[in-house]
Amino acid sequence: MEATKPNPVYRAAWRLVRFLLHLLFGYRVEGAERVPQVGPVILAANHLSILDPIAIGAGVRRPVSFLARADVFRLPFLSWLLPRLYAIPVERGTGDLSAVKSAIRALEKGMAFGIFPEGTRSRSGKLQPFKTGVAAIALRAGASVVPVAVIGTEEAWPVGRKLFRLRRPIRVVYGEPIPVPRKSKVTHQELENLTREIEARVRELLPPRYR
């Protein structure tokens, strides 16, 4: 299994982003020690804002890979930067199987992978039903799943707003990992059971206003 030490570009970006989150939003992290330092792991979180991947990745020292819109990979600077931040391109609205396969390959190499099982940002702030994709990826890769609660990003940068708001506190809470066995064949009931467990564990970490 490959080491999960970040490359120099990711390491520099991580330090800068963490500093800015503290400076602009009074960023706080709880439970980061619960995230395994090696081996495949999925960080499954609620989704409120475009700030969420940044807030989740900044909370742990190992690199975290996220899906990103494929079109931004075609922009000059981002085409160089995003691969070094371990981002995985996905075509919006196409059910891009290649992105799922890329996520599984990253996990099989021992990476951490961040995902939002709701599938889209919640405009109300309330947790939406989780889709089964996260469970399918976890079971195919044999990756443990860490439930993650993101709190306050909907105030710091609401959906539809062009600019963020200063001094709106952001907090990220990492829960206890859920061990997941690797399986080549998975039943619908297994997918449903694991999905509901992940959803329940994320809900437990959230304040009442998000449940």
Side-chain angles (χ1 to χ4, degrees):
M1 185 174 294
E2 294 184 6
T4 55
K5 290 183 179 179
N7 64 56
V9 174
Y10 188 99
R11 199 159 50 238
W14 182 87
R15 290 194 184 106
L16 175 61
V17 164
R18 193 174 169 96
F19 169 75
L20 290 174
L21 285 171
H22 280 291
L23 178 68
L24 301 175
F25 306 111
Y27 177 64
R28 288 192 296 140
V29 174
E30 298 174 22
E33 71 282 355
R34 297 171 182 148
V35 179
Q37 290 302 302
V38 295
V41 62
I42 294 174
L43 305 180
N46 61 311
H47 199 11
L48 302 167
S49 166
I50 59 174
L51 285 172
D52 296 343
I54 298 170
I56 292 167
V60 293
R61 291 194 172 275
R62 64 180 296 179
V64 182
S65 178
F66 283 92
L67 298 178
R69 292 197 338 255
D71 58 328
V72 300
F73 280 79
R74 294 187 274 273
L75 299 174
F77 176 66
L78 293 180
S79 65
W80 174 86
L81 178 64
L82 290 174
R84 288 163 176 80
L85 300 181
Y86 306 102
I88 298 172
V90 59
E91 296 289 350
R92 293 289 293 271
T94 60
D96 192 356
L97 286 177
S98 67
V100 173
K101 291 177 181 178
S102 296
I104 293 172
R105 283 196 296 269
L107 288 165
E108 288 174 341
K109 291 178 180 179
M111 282 289 297
F113 176 68
I115 192 169
F116 303 103
E118 293 165 284
T120 186
R121 287 171 289 177
S122 172
R123 291 182 176 272
S124 68
K126 302 288 186 183
L127 191 68
Q128 303 170 97
F130 280 14
K131 302 182 186 304
T132 57
V134 61
I137 293 172
L139 287 162
R140 285 287 302 278
S144 60
V145 179
V146 173
V148 182
V150 183
I151 301 158
T153 53
E154 84 285 4
E155 292 289 336
W157 201 332
V159 177
R161 186 179 172 88
K162 292 183 178 179
L163 293 174
F164 56 80
R165 297 166 171 165
L166 293 174
R167 307 312 300 172
R168 305 297 172 108
I170 292 176
R171 183 161 59 101
V172 179
V173 183
Y174 303 87
E176 294 290 345
I178 303 168
V180 179
R182 184 172 184 171
K183 306 190 84 171
S184 56
K185 292 184 178 180
V186 182
T187 67
H188 175 75
Q189 193 59 54
E190 287 173 319
L191 284 176
E192 192 64 28
N193 290 346
L194 181 55
T195 300
R196 299 286 77 82
E197 181 180 0
I198 297 167
E199 182 180 334
R201 294 281 293 274
V202 172
R203 181 175 284 107
E204 288 173 0
L205 297 174
L206 289 167
R209 73 178 187 272
Y210 292 102
R211 296 176 187 167

